[in-house]
Amino acid sequence: METINTHRDRYSAVAIVLHWLIAIALIVNWRLAEAAEHLEGPAAAVYMNPHKALGITVLVLTVLRIVWRLVNPPPPMDPNYATWERMLAKFVHAVFYILMIAIPVLGWLATSSYGFGVDFFGLFQVPALPVANDPDAGKWVIGLHKTLWTPMMILIGLHILGALKHQFFDKNGELGRMIPGLGRR
């Protein structure tokens, strides 16, 4: 396992792997939900069962990422960033973590409100949360779960645009901090 190195300018290998696993899982999960949107019954379950399992995966990976970040702080930001850029980056990351916890927990809570656990890719059953069997509450919670995806998409867009701005306009090699094989300036 890597040790803390406060003088490095790249994220650790663990942080990079967790970042990309979560990013891929979020994109795949969004596509699974979109595919199931207008289906019902067994046809919807083909997409929703892996969607729920992947949601649990995002939750676990996010908790691991937060723990890793607390134990192994990220490299410092470029000192040339404007104050607003630093503040926006910190805000976006904080809200990312909140949403990457809240969205899967709400999905799990909604599923639990219908009296079900989550089948984790056929390997084991994640038990339902200890909540009342209340489909009306489940509908409301799943609505919130879906609604929170809009700010997540906006944040993903801001995150990508920010990284591209720093890489191609500021030419500071920002992508090299998180993409293996890319060098820094």
Side-chain angles (χ1 to χ4, degrees), residues 40 53 64 73 98 113:
E40 294 183 17
L64 290 173
I98 291 166
S113 296

Side-chain angles (χ1 to χ4, degrees), residues 92 96 148-161:
V92 166
F96 257 140
L148 287 178
W149 186 250
T150 299
M152 177 63 89
M153 292 293 284
I154 292 168
L155 287 178
I156 290 170
L158 283 174
H159 184 65
I160 292 168
L161 287 173

Side-chain angles (χ1 to χ4, degrees), residues 96-148:
F96 257 140
Y97 287 119
I98 291 166
L99 290 175
M100 289 185 303
I101 297 284
I103 293 172
V105 167
L106 288 169
W108 187 12
L109 181 61
T111 298
S112 299
S113 296
Y114 287 94
F116 301 110
V118 175
D119 174 13
F120 194 78
F121 301 111
L123 299 173
F124 58 88
Q125 188 77 12
V126 177
L129 293 169
V131 296
N133 189 342
D134 185 350
D136 289 333
K139 286 180 187 174
W140 184 85
V141 173
I142 203 66
L144 181 57
H145 170 82
K146 290 177 181 180
T147 298
L148 287 178

